[in-house]
C-alpha cells in the first residue's frame, strides 16, 4: 500500500486528484491533466496572466500545451502493472465520501456498512467480502452522514417509514411507539415517492421548456421591436424634416409678405413726400415774389402785378397716407402667435393619441402576474372621492364625499353641466388611466350599480342610455339583494354567485381588463370585462330606493 501511495502522489494531477490523463508539463516543471490545466487557464483568459495552481508562478503569454509522451507512457505502465488501481487509490474530493479506515489523506470510499456504521475504500472493505464474521453485515454504496441513518433511541438502522408521522424509523420502533401506525418498508415508500418525484421532474422540465420557448419569443419580439423602432425613427425624422421645411417655407413667404407690404407702403409714402416737397418749393417761390412785390416803391408796378401774384395757388389734391407701424406689425405678430399656439396644441393632442396607440399595440407586456389574494390586490389600492358636481339631486353625499345615500328629499345642488339630471348616479373626481387600480365598495339596501365610464357619458337624458353599463362608454355590475348582472353597451350577463355586501373592483388599464370580486375571507371573481380602454375611466355609482354605497378606505 505504501508503494501505491507513492505512485499516486508522483503521478496524480493536483487539480482533479486522479491519475494524469494526457499529461502536460508547464514551464515551471509541474504536470497536470491537459483538460484540467486548460480549464484553469480558460477562466483567466480575460486577465492575460496564467499561473501554476501549485507554485503560483505566472506566465505571459499563455504557454502552449503539449502532451508529455514520456510521462504518459510511465502512467500507462503503472496502470498495467496494477500498481495503482484507479478506484482504490482515488483520493476523496469535494462531494465524495471519505474512507473511515484511512489515516492522513483519505481515499474515496466505495462501500458503507450499515452495521459498522463506517465507510471503506477498496482495501479495508475486503474483510466484509471474505471474513465469516462480516457475512451478516449489510454493504451499500458509499453514503455520508451515516449517523443520520441510525435510530437515536435504539441505535438500529432506519429501514422502515412511518406514514402516520411521515418519518423514518427502525424495526424496534414498529413494536414500540409506532406500533399502531401505518408503516411500510423504506424501499416500498421510496417506490411511491420515486413516482411522485418523476412526475415533479416531468412538470419542471415541461415548465423549463415553456420558459425557454417564452425566452425565445421574447428575443424575437425584442429584435422585431428594435427593427421597427429604427424604421419608425428614420421615417419620423424624414416626416419632421419635411414639416420643418414646410414651416421654414411659410416663414420665408411670411417674411416676403411683410417685405412687399413694407415696400408698397414706403413707395406710397415717398411718392406723397415728393409731391409735398414740390408743392412746398412752389409755395416758397410764390412767397418770395409776394415779399418782393410788397417791398417795391413803384406804385404802378405794384398795382400792375398785384392781380397775378396775389392769386391764391390751388392746393394739390393728394391722397392721405397714414403709416401706423404699431397697428400693422402688432396684428401680424398676433396672427403668428396664434399660428404657433395652434400648432403646439395640435401637436400635444396628436402626441396623446400616438401614446395611446403605441400602448394599444405594445409588442410585449412585461407586467407582474394577476393578484391572487386580497393582500396582493391591496397593493394597487387607490383613493377615490365622489364629485358633488355630478351627483343627482336625489343623492346625498357624506363622509368626506365617500358615501352616497338615496333620499326622497331633493338636495339643493346648483346647476352644473356635469350633473346627472334624470338618473340617480354620481361619478368620482379621479380619472383612472394608471396601469392597475383597486378599490372596494360597501353597499346596503335594495339596489345599486358599481361601474366605470368615460367622461363623455350623457348626463341629461331620461332613458336608460345614460345609465352605467347601458351604453358603449361604460361598464357596470348590477347588485341586488339576491343576484348580480354585468352590463356593457346594453348587453348583460347574469351571474350566479353568493351575494356579498362588499365588492372589490380591479382595473388593469393597459391590459384592458375590469374585474369585479366578492370580498370575504377569499376573493370570488364575479365577472371580468376584456376590452381596450382609450380614455381615462371615472368610477361611478347608481343608487336607488333608500340604498347607500360607501367607497371603503383601504389605507
Amino acid at each position: 500500500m505504501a508503494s501505491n501511495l507513492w505512485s499516486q502522489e508522483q503521478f496524480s494531477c493536483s487539480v482533479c486528484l486522479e491519475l494524469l490523463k494526457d499529461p502536460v508539463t508547464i514551464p515551471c516543471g509541474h504536470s497536470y491533466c491537459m483538460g484540467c490545466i486548460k480549464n484553469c487557464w480558460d477562466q483567466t483568459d480575460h486577465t492575460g496572466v496564467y499561473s501554476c495552481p501549485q507554485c503560483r508562478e505566472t506566465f505571459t503569454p499563455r504557454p502552449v500545451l503539449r502532451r508529455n509522451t514520456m510521462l504518459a507512457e510511465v502512467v500507462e505502465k503503472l496502470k498495467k502493472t496494477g500498481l495503482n488501481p484507479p478506484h482504490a487509490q482515488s483520493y476523496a474530493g469535494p462531494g465524495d465520501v471519505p474512507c473511515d479506515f484511512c489515516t492522513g489523506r483519505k481515499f474515496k470510499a466505495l462501500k458503507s456498512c450499515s452495521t459498522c456504521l463506517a465507510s471503506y475504500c477498496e482495501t479495508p472493505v475486503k474483510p466484509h467480502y471474505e471474513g465469516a464474521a462480516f457475512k451478516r453485515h449489510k454493504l451499500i454504496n458509499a453514503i455520508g452522514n451515516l449517523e443520520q441513518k441510525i435510530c437515536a433511541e435504539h441505535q438500529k438502522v432506519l429501514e422502515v417509514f412511518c406514514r402516520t408521522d411521515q418519518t423514518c424509523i427502525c424495526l424496534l420502533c414498529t413494536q414500540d411507539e409506532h406500533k399502531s401506525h401505518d408503516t411500510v418498508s423504506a424501499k416500498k415508500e421510496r417506490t411511491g415517492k420515486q413516482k411522485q418525484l418523476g412526475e415533479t421532474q416531468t412538470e419542471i422540465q415541461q415548465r423549463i421548456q415553456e420558459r425557454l420557448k417564452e425566452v425565445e419569443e421574447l428575443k424575437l419580439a425584442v429584435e422585431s421591436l428594435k427593427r421597427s423602432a429604427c424604421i419608425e425613427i428614420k421615417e419620423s425624422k424624414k416626416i419632421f424634416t419635411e414639416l420643418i421645411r414646410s414651416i421654414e417655407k411659410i416663414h420665408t413667404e411670411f417674411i416676403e409678405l411683410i417685405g412687399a407690404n413694407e415696400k408698397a407702403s414706403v413707395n406710397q409714402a415717398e411718392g406723397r413726400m415728393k409731391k409735398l416737397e414740390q408743392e412746398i418749393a412752389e409755395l416758397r417761390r410764390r412767397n418770395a415774389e409776394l415779399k418782393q412785390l410788397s417791398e417795391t416803391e413803384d406804385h404802378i408796378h405794384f398795382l400792375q402785378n398785384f392781380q397775378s401774384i396775389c392769386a391764391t395757388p390751388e392746393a394739390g389734391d393728394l391722397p392721405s397716407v397714414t403709416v401706423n407701424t404699431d397697428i400693422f406689425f402688432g396684428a401680424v405678430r398676433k396672427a403668428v402667435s396664434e399660428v404657433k399656439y395652434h400648432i403646439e396644441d395640435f401637436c400635444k393632442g396628436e402626441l396623446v393619441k400616438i401614446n395611446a396607440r403605441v400602448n394599444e399595440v405594445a409588442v410585449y407586456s412585461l407586467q407582474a402576474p394577476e393578484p391572487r389574494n386580497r393582500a396582493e390586490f391591496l397593493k394597487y389600492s387607490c383613493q377615490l372621492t365622489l364629485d358633488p358636481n355630478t351627483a343627482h339631486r336625489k343623492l346625498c353625499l357624506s363622509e368626506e364625499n365617500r358615501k352616497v345615500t338615496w333620499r326622497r328629499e331633493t338636495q339643493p345642488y346648483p346647476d352644473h353641466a356635469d350633473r346627472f339630471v334624470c338618473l340617480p348616479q354620481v361619478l368620482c373626481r379621479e380619472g383612472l388611466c394608471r396601469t392597475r387600480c383597486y378599490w372596494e365598495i360597501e353597499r346596503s339596501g335594495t339596489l345599486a350599480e358599481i361601474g366605470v365610464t368615460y367622461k363623455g357619458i350623457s348626463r341629461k337624458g331620461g332613458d336608460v342610455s345614460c345609465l352605467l353599463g347601458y351604453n358603449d362608454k361604460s361598464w357596470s355590475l348590477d347588485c341586488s339583494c339576491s343576484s348580480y348582472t354585468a352590463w356593457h353597451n346594453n348587453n348583460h350577463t347574469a351571474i350566479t354567485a353568493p351575494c356579498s355586501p362588499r365588492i372589490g373592483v380591479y382595473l388593469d388599464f393597459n391590459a384592458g381588463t375590469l374585474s369585479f370580486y366578492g370580498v370575504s375571507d377569499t376573493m370570488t371573481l364575479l365577472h371580468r370585462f376584456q376590452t381596450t380602454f382609450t380614455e381615462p375611466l371615472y368610477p361611478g355609482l347608481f343608487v336607488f330606493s333608500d340604498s347607500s354605497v360607501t367607497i371603503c378606505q383601504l389605507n
Side-chain angles (χ1 to χ4, degrees), residues 451-464:
V452 298
T453 180
Y454 294 147
K455 194 170 186 178
I457 189 173
S458 178
R459 317 295 176 103
K460 308 301 181 185
D463 57 9
V464 294

Side-chain angles (χ1 to χ4, degrees), residues 56-240:
R56 301 300 178 184
E57 183 177 345
T58 58
F59 315 104
T60 304
R62 178 171 175 165
V64 178
L65 299 176
R66 291 187 177 87
R67 189 170 184 266
N68 189 328
T69 55
M70 182 179 294
L71 188 56
E73 290 175 0
V74 172
V75 173
E76 287 301 318
K77 287 180 181 179
L78 288 173
K79 289 181 180 180
K80 290 178 181 179
T81 59
L83 188 60
N84 193 7
H87 293 295
Q89 300 304 321
S90 297
Y91 285 117
D96 293 331
V97 178
C99 174
D100 293 321
F101 188 77
C102 294
T103 58
R105 188 175 183 185
K106 295 180 178 293
F107 291 119
K108 183 168 63 176
L110 299 179
K111 295 290 182 179
S112 294
C113 177
S114 59
T115 305
C116 301
L117 298 181
S119 299
Y120 306 100
C121 62
E122 185 166 324
T123 301
V125 81
K126 287 181 180 179
H128 280 75
Y129 292 112
E130 301 170 356
F134 298 99
K135 289 296 183 181
R136 294 184 181 180
H137 288 209
K138 185 176 180 181
L139 290 177
I140 58 176
N141 289 332
I143 58 174
N145 301 322
L146 281 171
E147 63 276 3
Q148 296 181 7
K149 285 37 174 208
I150 302 301
C151 175
E153 183 175 353
H154 302 107
Q155 299 302 310
K156 297 293 183 181
V157 177
L158 302 175
E159 48 188 335
V160 179
F161 185 78
C162 177
R163 290 176 172 173
T164 304
D165 294 336
Q166 290 293 302
T167 185
C168 293
I169 60 176
C170 70
L171 285 172
L172 292 179
C173 290
T174 62
Q175 302 171 14
D176 194 0
E177 57 190 278
H178 296 268
K179 185 176 182 179
S180 60
H181 292 184
D182 180 12
T183 59
V184 294
S185 67
K187 182 178 180 180
K188 183 175 181 180
E189 184 66 19
R190 163 71 182 271
T191 301
K193 290 283 195 291
Q194 189 75 31
K195 182 180 179 181
Q196 183 180 347
L197 180 65
E199 293 173 352
T200 303
Q201 284 181 302
T202 301
E203 182 181 349
I204 290 175
Q205 290 170 357
Q206 183 178 356
R207 289 180 62 183
I208 289 173
Q209 294 303 317
E210 291 173 355
R211 294 297 182 262
L212 288 173
K213 182 179 179 182
E214 188 175 353
V215 168
E216 289 302 318
E217 290 175 352
L218 267 175
K219 287 181 179 178
L220 293 175
V222 168
E223 291 301 321
S224 176
L225 176 63
K226 289 180 178 179
R227 289 194 297 269
S228 299
C230 289
I231 293 173
E232 290 304 315
I233 290 173
K234 183 178 180 180
E235 291 300 317
S236 63
K237 184 177 181 180
K238 180 180 177 182
I239 293 171
F240 275 100

Side-chain angles (χ1 to χ4, degrees), residues 420 423-427 448-454 457-458 463-471 473-478 485-490 538-543:
F420 287 100
L423 296 175
Q425 295 184 142
V426 60
L427 301 184
E449 283 197 22
I450 304 165
V452 298
T453 180
Y454 294 147
I457 189 173
S458 178
D463 57 9
V464 294
S465 63
C466 301
L467 187 61
L468 290 171
Y470 285 71
N471 48 70
K473 294 180 174 61
S474 60
W475 297 257
S476 71
L477 182 73
D478 187 330
T485 307
W487 288 88
H488 172 62
N489 203 17
N490 205 22
Y538 292 81
L541 300 169
F542 172 94
V543 186

